[in-house]
Amino acid sequence: MNTADLGLPVEVPSTALFTDQYELTMLRAALEAGTAERRSVFEVFTRRLPNGRRYGVVGGTGRVLDAVENFRFDPPVLAFLRERGIVDEATLEWLAGYRFRGDIWGYPEGEVYFPGSPIMRVEGTFAECVLLETVILSILNHDSAIAAAASRMSAAAGDRPLIEMGARRTHELAAVAASRAAYVGGFATTSDLAAGFRYGIPTVGTSAHAFTLLHDSERDAFQAQVRTLGRGTTLLVDTYDVAEAVRTAVEVAGTELGAVRIDSGDLLLVAHRVRQQLDELGATETKIVVTSDLDEYAIASLAAAPVDAYGVGTQLVTGSGHPTSSMVYKLVARAESSDPQAPLVPVAKKSTGGKTSVGGRKWAARRLDSHGVAEAEVIGTGPVPGELADRQLLVELVKGGEVVAREPLDAARERHTRARAGLPMSATQLSRGEPVLPTEYLHDSSGS
């Protein structure tokens, strides 16, 4: 069970300083100008997917909810801001009582998205919403990039399980978030114990080459491991000579040996040779796990190999070449006054260089074809067409400042499996291509 996402007592520090200074200087100026309390709508979206990718994956929503709840300016934080002269006393007084009391809607975690999709919509006063920009983008950009890479890898792996093992290749806290996002994207287990503790993800691990090198012989190392962990353990067989190690492993553990791991060499060739040798030795049920700088392309190349599981590290935690999702957080509508009843008017950035945005508070729906397969991402402002009413994608996450949509991590993982299955078959092709669904816009002049 995912205790963290169910809201059980897990200590989380204040997230108030996980932000850029200009969020606070904008707040100070807006308070001075009398515009800070204007009702506003911000949206998170990306203008494009990473080059060649067919879909994105929403990751980190549960972490965003934790971050919003814990966005508090406690005395030490206020003292830091005062000592640095970052804001004035009037702003410090306002920050001391800060609580997000607005509403947040978004694509549920594990859902897929496309260019322009309003992945998250944050509504409230300008002051309370603008402060959340950096922390929301920090989480969603990282976790969605990892979840997308994980999804591509799990699609390439098919029914073979994937082990996340990238903790040593990234920041120690990012590693925990990466494990979580990888699990959403389809990975089965992680080697990172902090991720297991924090999010309830199944953990695995046996030994490294150092354990073999510690002993006077490979046989001694295998005997020590089997005595301690049992015959069902996984023995690492590529420290010296693979064929000799496989022979020794079966002699030590018997034909009940759980698995062997291969971490170097031509994995396709070595896996075939090891499978043949295991079968000849009578270890027909012993599985083969491969590691060694795998990505989705390497995994796909091993589809015909007698491999039972994959361990992935560096390429996963770096987004397989795309460590960010390029999401932005833009003001798309605001009231003309601080009156809570003042109507919203759409606003949008108009600039050159492809950095424009579309104004108006948006909804999103996914239109299906006659076979029930997704055929378009439809984004609009104003009323939702009747034929799309039951296909809307955004769900309520926070209402009046209270989180209303916590869920076990397994729910996001299962949602992703369903969402990916509902896309055209070409979505999981690894060849470069455009987004698998076109984005269609339906505009309403009211912008409400």
Side-chain angles (χ1 to χ4, degrees):
M1 177 178 290
N2 178 9
T3 56
D5 280 355
L6 289 177
L8 299 180
V10 176
E11 184 178 352
V12 179
S14 168
T15 53
L17 292 184
F18 292 163
T19 192
D20 292 306
Q21 183 167 321
Y22 81 167
E23 314 292 8
L24 299 184
T25 56
M26 284 191 287
L27 168 66
R28 177 181 179 180
L31 289 170
E32 177 69 24
T35 54
E37 297 304 312
R38 286 188 176 186
R39 193 160 57 101
S40 300
V41 179
F42 287 82
E43 288 176 352
V44 176
F45 63 93
T46 184
R47 296 183 177 94
R48 64 191 65 84
L49 297 179
N51 187 32
R53 295 283 175 91
R54 305 296 181 90
Y55 61 93
V57 180
V58 178
T61 306
R63 297 207 308 121
V64 168
L65 299 182
D66 287 343
V68 171
E69 274 194 333
N70 291 281
F71 204 93
R72 305 282 189 269
F73 291 85
D74 55 24
V77 170
L78 294 170
F80 165 77
L81 297 176
R82 180 180 290 111
E83 291 165 5
R84 294 292 182 94
I86 292 171
V87 292
D88 60 3
E89 287 299 321
T91 305
L92 286 170
E93 182 178 351
W94 188 94
L95 290 173
Y98 177 84
R99 299 290 186 274
F100 179 74
R101 296 182 174 86
D103 302 329
I104 299 179
W105 290 71
Y107 280 40
E109 190 157 20
E111 183 58 83
V112 297
Y113 69 86
F114 299 90
S117 296
I119 296 161
M120 187 166 285
R121 191 175 72 218
V122 182
E123 305 182 31
T125 66
F126 175 84
E128 65 183 334
C129 295
V130 74
L131 292 181
L132 299 177
E133 174 182 7
T134 303
V135 70
I136 287 177
L137 287 179
S138 176
I139 293 170
L140 292 181
N141 267 314
H142 174 269
D143 289 24
S144 296
I146 306 305
S151 177
R152 285 164 60 85
M153 292 173 188
S154 66
D159 294 332
R160 297 171 178 175
L162 290 157
I163 307 163
E164 185 281 312
M165 46 197 306
R168 64 190 62 195
R169 298 290 187 253
T170 188
H171 185 280
E172 67 272 18
L173 298 182
V176 181
S179 293
R180 184 186 183 282
Y183 190 70
V184 170
F187 274 60
T189 55
T190 179
S191 66
D192 192 291
L193 290 178
F197 174 77
R198 180 73 175 86
Y199 296 114
I201 301 169
T203 59
V204 296
T206 52
S207 68
H209 292 101
F211 185 76
T212 301
L213 296 169
L214 168 69
H215 292 81
D216 295 335
S217 69
E218 197 166 44
R219 180 179 295 274
D220 289 345
F222 289 173
Q223 287 174 335
Q225 184 173 330
V226 170
R227 276 197 306 269
T228 305
L229 302 179
R231 296 177 185 273
T233 191
T234 299
L235 295 176
L236 182 59
V237 296
D238 71 329
T239 305
Y240 305 117
D241 178 84
V242 172
E244 181 61 31
V246 170
R247 184 179 305 108
T248 302
V250 175
E251 289 175 358
V252 169
T255 56
E256 298 86 5
L257 174 62
V260 295
R261 178 163 75 95
I262 306 166
D263 188 51
S264 60
D266 183 336
L267 296 179
L268 179 62
L269 176 62
V270 175
H272 277 286
R273 287 178 175 173
V274 168
R275 181 74 271 160
Q276 180 179 355
Q277 185 180 9
L278 286 170
D279 291 345
E280 290 173 350
L281 293 170
T284 57
E285 299 301 316
T286 298
K287 298 184 183 303
I288 297 175
V289 180
V290 295
T291 54
S292 184
D293 292 326
L294 298 177
D295 61 10
E296 59 266 50
Y297 300 101
I299 291 169
S301 73
L302 292 168
V307 171
D308 298 287
Y310 306 93
V312 188
T314 303
Q315 291 302 317
L316 175 69
V317 298
T318 57
S320 195
H322 299 286
T324 180
S325 303
S326 300
M327 294 178 186
V328 294
Y329 183 97
K330 297 298 181 184
L331 182 67
V332 297
R334 51 87 174 169
E336 292 183 328
S337 73
S338 297
D339 182 348
Q341 304 304 315
L344 292 170
V345 295
V347 294
K349 179 180 179 180
K350 306 291 184 186
S351 65
T352 59
K355 287 189 135 183
T356 59
S357 58
V358 178
R361 180 180 184 272
K362 299 174 196 68
W363 50 263
R366 191 161 297 148
R367 192 174 67 237
L368 308 182
D369 64 17
S370 59
H371 300 286
V373 178
E375 67 175 6
E377 195 87 339
V378 184
I379 299 168
T381 57
V384 180
E387 66 272 16
L388 295 176
D390 63 348
R391 299 299 308 166
Q392 294 189 71
L393 293 163
L394 279 78
V395 299
E396 194 169 32
L397 302 171
V398 176
K399 183 176 182 178
E402 298 294 326
V403 173
V404 297
R406 274 202 171 86
E407 62 182 6
L409 193 57
D410 279 333
R413 174 183 169 87
E414 292 163 6
R415 180 181 296 113
H416 177 63
T417 299
R418 294 193 303 271
R420 190 175 66 189
L423 297 176
M425 292 181 65
S426 59
T428 55
Q429 291 179 350
L430 295 182
S431 57
R432 292 186 177 275
E434 296 300 312
V436 72
L437 296 187
T439 301
E440 299 178 1
Y441 288 94
L442 299 178
H443 296 288
D444 180 83
S445 59
S446 69
S448 61

